[in-house]
Amino acid sequence: SSGYAIVVPGTTAQALAQAMEKALDDFSGQKFSGNVHKFSASFSAGVSSSSLDGENLEEIIKSAHHKLKAGRREKSGAVSVS
């Protein structure tokens, strides 16, 4: 699976998580046409804050990755903040 990072200066982790939840809902609701059948897809996200989850980029990314994995264990297609 692929991973991506989004940096949003001046935004709280909670506000970004809410935006990611909306994006997840919108994306998961889309139906895509395959060769034979239609299908849907989802994504999971881990959200970290520079003020709470680390003092450098490596720590913040590691925190987001751990939150992503924790969210995936709960359910596929999840946004995890805590």
Side-chain angles (χ1 to χ4, degrees):
S1 70
S2 297
Y4 301 93
I6 299 172
V7 178
V8 185
T11 303
T12 66
Q14 282 304 118
L16 182 56
Q18 289 174 342
M20 295 301 293
E21 287 280 358
K22 169 116 177 57
L24 175 59
D25 289 344
D26 291 347
F27 182 73
S28 298
Q30 298 292 318
K31 299 294 182 210
F32 301 96
S33 296
N35 290 336
V36 178
H37 302 284
K38 289 189 176 202
F39 66 94
S40 61
S42 67
F43 63 86
S44 296
V47 178
S48 289
S49 169
S50 61
S51 62
L52 300 173
D53 296 310
E55 295 186 11
N56 60 53
L57 186 58
E58 185 177 340
E59 289 175 355
I60 296 165
I61 291 171
K62 190 179 287 188
S63 173
H65 181 72
H66 288 300
K67 291 174 184 181
L68 167 65
K69 287 172 42 177
R72 281 186 178 163
R73 280 192 296 269
E74 283 186 30
K75 80 173 200 181
S76 179
V79 176
S80 180
V81 179
S82 54

